[in-house]
């Protein structure tokens, strides 16, 4: 397999030694992490399984909503383990007998378009984060995943952008006020962290939302400005992030033996936007691939799309998602960044810790 060879060469070149402390990563979330699960969901309309997705690194579409690797991919490479397979792909291989067991380096359950609220985009055939967790718990119950592996693994949780973006869609349905809506979201994440702890998770990394009000897709919203970020949306994101961080800070108290880490993705992205040339960006507002104002009205790869010549120079790959270059910068900040980027410790420290397991 050419791709596996490519990856092995890459790992040798950057001289990574696998960390024995962390054998695997289990990933739950939305399109920021989806590595192709949606491709395997019948009638799911949220897809990135067509060109030019994947063109910078994999040279073919993988179902990732970017031109290359995601944060989960980069961190796997920093640790020295293989990239996690989409759960639904691995399940097919086990069921049809082409694989005897599930991969030992973890699994990716993320589903693009999903949210922390179960109703978010459910008509599109996506899997809410609660369903992703059910899939994981079933594997543990079936003893398809060893609990001792779970206890040593990293757990990545990232969701909420779709919930907040949808709050601003021009629909006439009565809804909760912003504070109550954020509280409903946080309640779901609290239940989620409680449940993954119960099945053995001890290293839990919760990612903040990025500045959703700055995505090029805001061009689809009648009330959103084009020349600047959508302040109302970012205010709601910041409110959610603040509650998320206090939830993470409570993890050691609520769950003895577990460590919660909060990745401040919002601040990292705003830092990149404030000093673009320092990080190799020539454009931090428009999509590299799309069409319409900000490239935000047409999905990359769909009829009428245009693509930039140098994705590396763009913060955004498509109407919602960062480029591989942006993801790499975020990953480095999370892996070995200071407390302004990730706290109370970074992912590298979390990976190297020897936890006293009950």
């Amino acid at each position: 397999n050419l791709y596996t060879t490519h990856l092995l060469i890459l790992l040798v070149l950057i001289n990574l030694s696998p960390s024995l402390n962390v054998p695997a990563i289990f990933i739950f979330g939305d399109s920021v992490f989806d590595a192709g699960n949606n491709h395997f969901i019948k009638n799911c309309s949220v897809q990135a399984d067509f060109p030019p997705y994947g063109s910078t690194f994999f040279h073919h579409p993988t179902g990732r909503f970017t031109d290359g690797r995601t944060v989960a991919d980069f961190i796997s490479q920093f640790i020295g383990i293989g990239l996690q397979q989409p759960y639904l792909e691995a399940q097919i291989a086990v069921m049809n007998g082409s694989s005897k067991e599930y991969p030992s380096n973890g699994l990716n359950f993320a589903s693009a378009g999903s949210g922390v609220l179960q109703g978010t985009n459910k008509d599109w055939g996506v899997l809410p984060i609660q369903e992703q967790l059910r899939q994981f718990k079933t594997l543990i119950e079936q003893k398809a995943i060893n609990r001792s592996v779970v206890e040593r693994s990293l757990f990545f949780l990232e969701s909420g952008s779709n919930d907040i973006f949808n709050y601003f869609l021009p629909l006439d349905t009565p809804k909760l006020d912003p504070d109550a809506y954020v509280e409903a979201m946080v309640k779901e994440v609290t239940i989620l962290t409680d449940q993954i702890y119960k099945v053995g998770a001890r290293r839990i990394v919760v990612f903040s939302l990025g500045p959703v009000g700055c995505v090029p897709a805001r061009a689809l919203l009648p009330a959103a400005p084009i020349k600047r970020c959508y302040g109302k949306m970012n205010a709601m994101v910041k409110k959610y992030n603040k509650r998320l961080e206090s939830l993470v800070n409570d993890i050691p108290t609520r769950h003895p033996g577990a460590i919660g880490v909060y990745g401040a993705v919002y601040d990292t992205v705003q830092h990149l936007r404030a000093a673009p040339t320092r990080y190799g960006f020539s454009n931090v507002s428009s999509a590299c691939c799309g069409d319409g104002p900000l490239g935000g009205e047409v999905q990359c790869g769909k009829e009428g799309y245009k693509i930039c010549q140098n994705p590396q120079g763009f913060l955004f790959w498509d109407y919602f998602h960062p480029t591989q270059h942006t993801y790499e910068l975020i990953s480095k900040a999370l892996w070995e960044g200071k407390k302004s980027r990730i706290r109370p410790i970074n992912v590298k420290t979390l990976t190297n810790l020897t936890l006293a397991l009950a």
Side-chain angles (χ1 to χ4, degrees), residues 257-309:
I259 296 180
V261 171
Y262 173 78
V265 175
Y266 187 100
D267 299 337
T268 303
V269 174
Q270 293 296 52
H271 178 72
L272 301 177
R273 289 183 63 252
T277 51
R278 186 174 159 195
Y279 296 99
F281 292 113
S282 54
N283 187 320
V284 292
S285 54
S286 305
C288 162
C289 184
D291 199 26
L294 302 171
E297 286 187 355
V298 172
Q299 187 186 351
C300 179
K302 291 285 174 81
E303 195 180 342
Y305 85 94
K306 299 179 178 72
I307 188 164
C308 70
Q309 285 190 308

Side-chain angles (χ1 to χ4, degrees), residues 11 22 24 34 81 94 122 160 219 240 252 261 281 291 295 300 320 346:
L11 291 177
V22 169
D34 191 347
I81 58 177
V94 169
K122 67 167 190 240
Y240 174 70
V261 171
F281 292 113
D291 199 26
C300 179
F320 263 100
N346 59 37

Side-chain angles (χ1 to χ4, degrees), residues 104-280:
S104 59
N105 65 322
L107 284 164
N108 188 325
F109 295 87
S111 172
S114 67
V116 292
L117 300 173
Q118 305 213 35
T120 295
N121 299 334
K122 67 167 190 240
D123 301 346
W124 297 355
V126 302
L127 296 178
I129 204 162
Q130 294 81 358
E131 179 56 35
Q132 297 170 32
L133 185 68
R134 276 193 286 277
Q135 292 172 334
F136 175 66
K137 284 164 80 174
T138 301
L139 291 181
I140 292 177
E141 284 157 16
Q142 293 169 345
K143 299 198 163 40
I145 299 175
N146 189 313
R147 190 171 164 122
S148 71
V149 170
V150 170
E151 288 175 342
R152 287 158 51 223
S153 297
L154 284 178
F155 280 76
F156 286 176
L157 303 181
E158 174 283 323
S159 190
S161 298
N162 293 309
D163 306 276
I164 289 181
F165 192 85
N166 285 10
Y167 187 84
F168 291 87
L169 290 175
L171 300 171
D172 295 327
T173 48
K175 42 172 107 76
L176 302 168
D177 68 67
D179 287 2
Y181 192 80
V182 164
E183 280 311 310
M185 289 171 68
V186 173
K187 187 181 172 192
E188 292 297 333
V189 184
T190 308
I191 294 166
L192 207 74
T193 52
D194 290 352
Q195 291 192 343
I196 63 166
Y197 175 78
K198 267 191 191 141
V199 293
R202 294 298 177 265
R203 301 172 212 254
I204 302 166
V205 186
V206 180
F207 298 80
S208 88
L209 303 186
V212 186
C214 301
V215 299
R218 70 181 187 277
L220 297 165
L221 304 172
I226 296 291
K227 293 208 158 90
R228 55 188 161 77
C229 297
Y230 194 3
K232 271 188 182 172
M233 195 181 281
N234 277 348
M236 198 163 164
V237 168
K238 285 200 269 195
K239 205 166 277 186
Y240 174 70
N241 286 343
K242 198 172 177 185
R243 291 285 290 109
L244 209 56
E245 182 164 14
S246 58
L247 183 160
V248 173
N249 291 341
D250 285 346
I251 285 176
T253 315
R254 287 167 69 94
H255 306 306
I259 296 180
V261 171
Y262 173 78
V265 175
Y266 187 100
D267 299 337
T268 303
V269 174
Q270 293 296 52
H271 178 72
L272 301 177
R273 289 183 63 252
T277 51
R278 186 174 159 195
Y279 296 99

Side-chain angles (χ1 to χ4, degrees), residues 30-85:
D30 56 26
S31 55
V32 168
F33 280 147
D34 191 347
N37 274 309
N38 279 12
H39 173 74
F40 299 96
I41 303 172
K42 205 179 169 191
N43 301 326
C44 176
S45 60
V46 187
Q47 299 291 352
D49 52 1
F50 45 83
Y53 285 101
S55 53
T56 299
F57 180 75
F58 299 101
H59 309 300
H60 62 89
T62 63
R64 288 168 176 81
F65 284 72
T66 182
D67 58 316
R69 289 159 288 179
T70 66
V71 168
D73 298 328
F74 279 111
I75 291 177
S76 294
Q77 292 184 342
F78 297 158
I79 294 171
I81 58 177
L83 309 191
Q84 289 69 37
Q85 209 177 359

